[in-house]
Amino acid sequence: MAEFTLELNDDQKQVRDWLHGFAADVIRPAASEWDEREETPWPVIQEAAKVGIYSLDFYAQQFFDPTGLGVPMAMEELFWGDAGIALSIVGTGLAAVGVLANGTEEQIGTWIPQMYGDADDVKVAAFCSSEPDAGSDVASMRTRAVYDQAKDEWVLNGTKTWATNGGIANVHVVVAVVDAELGSKGHASFIVPPNTPGLSQGQKFKKHGIRASHTAEVVLADVRVPGHCLLGGKEKLDQRLARARERAASGGERVKNAAMATFEASRPAVGAMAVGTARAAYEVALDYAKTRTQFGRPVIDNQGIAFQLADMRTQIDAARLLVWRASWMATTGKPFTSAEGSMSKLYASETAKKVTAQAVQILGGNGFTREYPVERMHRDAAIYTIFEGTSEIQRLVIARTLSGMPIR
């Protein structure tokens, strides 16, 4: 088992520097254009695929890093470049994690490669969980999956929302209700293969931030998928549902649902994204404070500015430490006895909002214009306290974990 360390090894440093170079040379110069266009930056994704960043092999290497630091290190560097473009590059990863968390080895080997395609034919994937009336309240999910035993097919009906790459994805991973009486424990995840009839894109959202990332509704109208597209297989699902029914009848311990398993695995990674955005804004503010002169001296010589920068750097480092700890714990199999995954996502996302706001303030009027990137970074940072579990939900998870109450 890898020991927890705050020092990247030589291989990790090499990967970090490579990613930083790509973020600086390819992502940042394109950030403003694709933010304005509010379109998926296919040319940048293709460049990432050509150099090996947008690929199954790269994410597998980071995911299976024995220290647990590969994924958060990669997320921080890419999102340091730009959050919208970076999310377009890594958004497929959430669907991949959904398959890794719930699928069989055969399903992992079959579907994850199709999520990425290759450098000559880039593909993306979408994880579809949230619904118009079921965001944080996953127990209110209405999308249904009904098994047609005669044809060994599942029939899906419902509407998903806030789906990254929704409607444009080659592969969709859809969470649906298979047993409504069990609430969130009666959910299962399904692969919807490419070009499956009945799946269509609904509304595409025009967003406050992360505009280069495609976010849309996904409409499922009598979508039929083969039985082997149920992640984990029907035998495993039947066993899990039976255990859930027994526990419900006896008032025993609750079991995790499919969507929660995916989010728990991805929360530290989201925290790392927030750290990257916060660090980027802090660096712009620090450079500006050193070079901007007022009353005959750099503004950083003013205690009010200097203390803000000191707090910003302290909070960023603290957020990174929480993210790294949670990532290491997850990789080495240590249980989140105090909801350490939610802690990392909560603190890092709140830090990103605070630090980017302070960066705008330090730049003054310039920070409020699109001539400087902190305006965009501040808009982008707003998403971190919302998606994959709001800050309020993270606090609820932490509080219930500490008290011993069930997490529904």
Side-chain angles (χ1 to χ4, degrees):
M1 179 182 294
E3 295 296 325
F4 180 60
T5 177
L6 302 179
E7 181 68 24
L8 298 176
N9 60 41
D10 289 341
D11 289 341
Q12 290 168 328
K13 289 178 182 177
Q14 186 175 7
V15 172
R16 178 199 61 192
D17 293 344
W18 172 53
L19 291 170
H20 186 80
F22 183 84
D25 298 339
V26 180
I27 294 178
R28 279 207 170 176
S32 179
E33 174 189 352
W34 291 100
D35 177 73
E36 292 286 347
R37 291 175 63 167
E38 299 191 51
E39 297 175 358
T40 300
W42 291 109
V44 183
I45 299 175
Q46 189 168 33
E47 284 299 312
K50 286 180 180 178
V51 300
I53 293 174
Y54 186 77
S55 70
L56 172 60
D57 288 344
F58 173 73
Y59 286 108
Q61 290 174 11
Q62 306 317 310
F63 187 84
F64 292 110
D65 182 333
T67 70
L69 302 185
V71 169
M73 176 268 296
M75 294 300 108
E76 180 177 338
E77 293 305 326
L78 293 173
F79 280 74
W80 173 89
D82 176 69
I85 291 178
L87 190 56
S88 291
I89 294 174
V90 308
T92 293
L94 185 58
V97 169
V99 176
L100 285 169
N102 301 295
T104 64
E105 290 187 9
E106 182 179 358
Q107 289 170 330
I108 291 170
T110 298
W111 295 111
I112 294 184
Q114 295 187 47
M115 294 179 174
Y116 289 95
D118 55 46
D120 296 322
D121 187 18
V122 171
K123 305 293 186 183
V124 295
F127 183 75
C128 307
S129 177
S130 294
E131 298 184 1
D133 296 319
S136 299
D137 183 12
V138 294
S140 297
M141 191 176 292
R142 295 181 180 178
T143 297
R144 294 291 189 268
V146 178
Y147 185 57
D148 183 342
Q149 188 170 1
K151 296 184 177 180
D152 186 27
E153 292 179 339
W154 289 89
V155 184
L156 280 61
N157 282 282
T159 299
K160 295 296 182 178
T161 193
W162 311 123
T164 298
N165 298 329
I168 66 171
N170 192 51
V171 176
H172 290 77
V173 178
V174 177
V175 181
V177 178
V178 295
D179 189 329
E181 293 183 358
L182 292 176
S184 62
K185 305 306 178 286
H187 296 175
S189 293
F190 299 84
I191 292 285
V192 180
N195 304 314
T196 299
L199 185 147
S200 61
Q201 179 182 307
Q203 176 186 5
K204 178 187 175 182
F205 297 103
K206 297 181 72 67
K207 304 187 300 293
H208 176 65
I210 55 167
R211 293 177 177 176
S213 174
H214 177 96
T215 309
E217 290 182 333
V218 174
V219 180
L220 304 149
D222 290 328
V223 171
R224 286 183 169 268
V225 299
H228 62 76
C229 287
L230 166 64
L231 290 180
K234 193 167 188 307
E235 182 178 354
K236 183 177 178 181
L237 172 64
D238 289 342
Q239 292 172 354
R240 178 167 63 81
L241 294 177
R243 290 195 301 270
R245 294 185 189 105
E246 291 175 3
R247 288 188 172 98
S250 63
E253 181 184 356
R254 295 177 176 269
V255 295
K256 296 176 183 176
N257 64 73
M260 288 299 292
T262 301
F263 290 138
E264 285 186 8
S266 64
R267 275 171 180 160
V270 176
M273 299 173 189
V275 171
T277 300
R279 188 183 113 212
Y282 158 77
E283 290 176 359
V284 172
L286 177 63
D287 289 343
Y288 186 89
K290 287 179 177 179
T291 57
R292 171 69 167 172
T293 58
Q294 289 287 279
F295 305 105
R297 60 180 183 178
V299 296
I300 198 171
D301 286 351
N302 297 303
Q303 192 177 79
I305 300 297
F307 279 14
Q308 282 193 71
L309 290 163
D311 287 343
M312 292 160 73
R313 176 59 186 267
T314 300
Q315 291 158 3
I316 291 168
D317 282 11
R320 182 184 298 109
L321 291 175
L322 284 171
V323 167
W324 282 19
R325 180 184 69 167
S327 299
W328 172 78
M329 290 176 69
T331 298
T332 55
K334 294 188 177 296
F336 288 164
T337 56
S338 300
E340 287 86 353
S342 289
M343 283 185 185
S344 69
K345 198 268 186 184
L346 169 66
Y347 189 80
S349 60
E350 296 285 349
T351 293
K353 284 188 68 173
K354 184 184 299 183
V355 166
T356 55
Q358 288 175 303
V360 170
Q361 188 69 23
I362 289 171
L363 269 66
N366 287 328
F368 198 66
T369 71
R370 296 186 185 180
E371 298 300 314
Y372 288 79
V374 292
E375 176 271 340
R376 185 180 67 252
M377 294 168 182
H378 183 43
R379 286 189 285 107
D380 290 341
I383 194 60
Y384 297 126
T385 61
I386 298 172
F387 72 173
E388 294 199 48
T390 64
S391 288
E392 292 76 14
I393 289 297
Q394 305 308 323
R395 290 184 171 95
L396 181 64
V397 170
I398 296 166
R400 288 186 169 175
T401 301
L402 296 177
S403 69
M405 295 175 62
I407 302 172
R408 297 179 174 85

